[in-house]
């Protein structure tokens, strides 16, 4: 399946302009569409005025259709999935990577990226009355209105434990309101090329207008892992912190990762190490998992499965998918 509706704005950089002796540069915005022979490249002009074309996605893994030839990977009970070799910018496996799907708590990768880029980790936040989560079965860590904690603490609770109440704290502590924060999320998504996504909340609880794709989740996670605050947090199997409760007393809170690889309940294939990632589950989204892993040479990989029909099936599929790394 080919992506035909991505729109990304490129910059054309012209150097060596006549009369400037190669000292200056000008930037031109150009809309990217995959069918354009011109706008899918960044044109570079050297001092000798010899143009060269640099592909828009030169540093990204790209895919124009399904890559599902290996019979050792069976994602028949999942709606989409992919495995990306980051060091070689190569797609090793792909199924329905441009199909719009509900992300559930994979959303929190985008939430974390937005908060890290637009917030200050040492900001002290007072939890608002919006902390209440009404959806049955939704994961929470137990924060209450009036509690005080830092943005860094809330990020840890959100990413390690997938706490939906902590996601609300992250959003309001970064942008002042959930509405303002989700606007930032959508701006950031478009800026990095995740143009088939739309977010209406920071946690991923079900909303028909809240969606992404496997490929966009790769772009989002690939961007997030560039930040040390994100990288360190997604690799934690547990997290303990102390914050100020609404009554003014100190309160200790300990949470565990929702990632079964980090918990030791699931084992990655031989010669593959799961560094961390994000889980996600709702009735509409099914069972989702996005991982950052490495091989024995330390080379990184991103793997994503969305809308699997069961948690056990999800981890079996992910283990098979990770097995493609050493082939």
């Amino acid at each position: 399946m080919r992506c035909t509706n991505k729109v990304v704005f490129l910059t054309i950089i012209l150097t060596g302009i006549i009369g400037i002796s190669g000292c200056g540069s000008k930037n031109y915005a150009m809309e990217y569409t995959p069918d354009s022979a011109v706008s899918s490249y960044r044109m570079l002009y050297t001092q000798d005025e010899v143009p060269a074309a640099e592909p828009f996605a030169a540093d990204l893994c790209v895919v124009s259709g399904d890559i599902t030839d290996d019979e050792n990977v069976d994602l028949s009970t999942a709606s989409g999935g992919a495995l990306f070799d980051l060091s070689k910018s190569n797609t090793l496996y792909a199924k329905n990577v441009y199909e719009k799907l509900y992300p559930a708590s994979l959303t929190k990768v985008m939430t974390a990226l937005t908060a890290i880029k637009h917030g200050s980790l040492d900001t002290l936040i007072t939890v608002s009355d919006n902390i209440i989560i009404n959806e049955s079965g939704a994961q929470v860590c137990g924060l209450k209105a009036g509690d005080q904690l830092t943005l860094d603490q809330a990020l840890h609770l959100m990413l390690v434990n997938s706490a939906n109440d902590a996601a609300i704290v992250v959003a309001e502590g970064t942008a002042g309101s959930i509405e303002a924060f989700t606007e930032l999320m959508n701006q950031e998504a478009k800026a990095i090329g995740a143009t088939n996504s739309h977010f209406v909340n920071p946690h991923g609880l079900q909303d028909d207008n809240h969606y992404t794709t496997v490929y966009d989740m790769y772009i989002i996670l690939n961007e997030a892992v560039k930040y040390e605050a994100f990288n360190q947090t997604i690799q934690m199997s547990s997290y303990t912190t102390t914050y100020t409760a609404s009554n003014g007393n100190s309160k200790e809170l300990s949470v565990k990762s929702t990632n079964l690889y980090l918990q030791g309940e699931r084992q990655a294939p031989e010669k593959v190490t799961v560094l961390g990632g994000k889980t996600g589950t709702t009735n509409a989204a099914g069972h989702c998992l996005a991982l950052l892993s490495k091989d024995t040479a330390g080379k990184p990989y991103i793997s994503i499965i969305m809308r699997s029909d069961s948690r056990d099936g999800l981890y079996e599929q992910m283990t098979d998918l990770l097995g493609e790394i050493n082939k």
Side-chain angles (χ1 to χ4, degrees), residues 96-287:
N96 297 337
V97 297
Y98 298 119
E99 180 179 340
K100 288 183 179 179
L101 298 168
Y102 299 129
S105 286
L106 297 191
T107 298
K108 295 179 176 100
V109 178
M110 190 70 235
T111 300
L113 174 61
T114 303
I116 290 169
K117 292 184 72 171
H118 291 272
S120 177
L121 295 180
D122 59 0
T123 297
L124 185 63
I125 306 163
T126 299
V127 178
S128 77
D129 291 331
N130 296 324
I131 199 68
I132 299 173
I133 301 290
N134 293 317
E135 186 168 316
S136 177
Q139 179 88 348
V140 294
C141 63
L143 297 173
K144 305 294 183 183
D147 292 347
Q148 289 189 320
L149 68 166
T150 65
L151 178 60
D152 183 63
Q153 289 173 303
L155 271 172
H156 277 76
L157 294 168
M158 180 187 74
L159 288 175
V160 175
N161 191 236
S162 201
N164 294 299
D165 46 356
I168 292 174
V169 176
V170 168
E172 294 187 335
T174 300
S177 71
I178 292 174
E179 293 76 16
F181 186 81
T182 53
E183 184 175 344
L184 284 178
M185 291 175 72
N186 289 311
Q187 289 175 4
E188 285 298 324
K190 290 179 181 178
I192 63 177
T195 57
N196 284 328
S197 298
H198 186 259
F199 303 100
V200 299
N201 63 57
H203 40 61
L205 294 178
Q206 182 57 30
D207 188 294
D208 289 346
N209 202 33
H210 187 100
Y211 55 81
T212 188
T213 67
V214 169
Y215 190 75
D216 277 11
M217 276 311 310
Y218 150 67
I219 291 177
I220 293 166
L221 182 54
N222 185 60
E223 182 69 18
V225 297
K226 296 176 182 178
Y227 294 86
E228 190 63 26
F230 180 85
N231 255 334
Q232 288 183 346
T233 305
I234 64 169
Q235 297 185 44
M236 300 177 70
S237 61
S238 63
Y239 174 66
T240 298
T241 191
T242 300
Y243 64 94
T244 303
S246 58
N247 60 9
N249 295 330
S250 293
K251 185 173 182 178
E252 184 175 278
L253 177 61
S254 294
V255 296
K256 291 184 178 180
S257 173
T258 56
N259 188 328
L260 298 187
Y261 289 110
L262 296 186
Q263 286 297 325
E265 294 183 32
R266 297 285 178 165
Q267 299 299 318
E270 187 178 357
K271 299 181 180 179
V272 176
T273 301
V274 172
L275 298 174
K278 189 70 200 71
T279 61
T281 305
T282 65
N283 289 335
H287 298 265

Side-chain angles (χ1 to χ4, degrees), residues 33 66 68 149 278 293 311:
T33 60
D66 284 357
T68 57
L149 68 166
K278 189 70 200 71
S293 303
R311 188 175 74 162

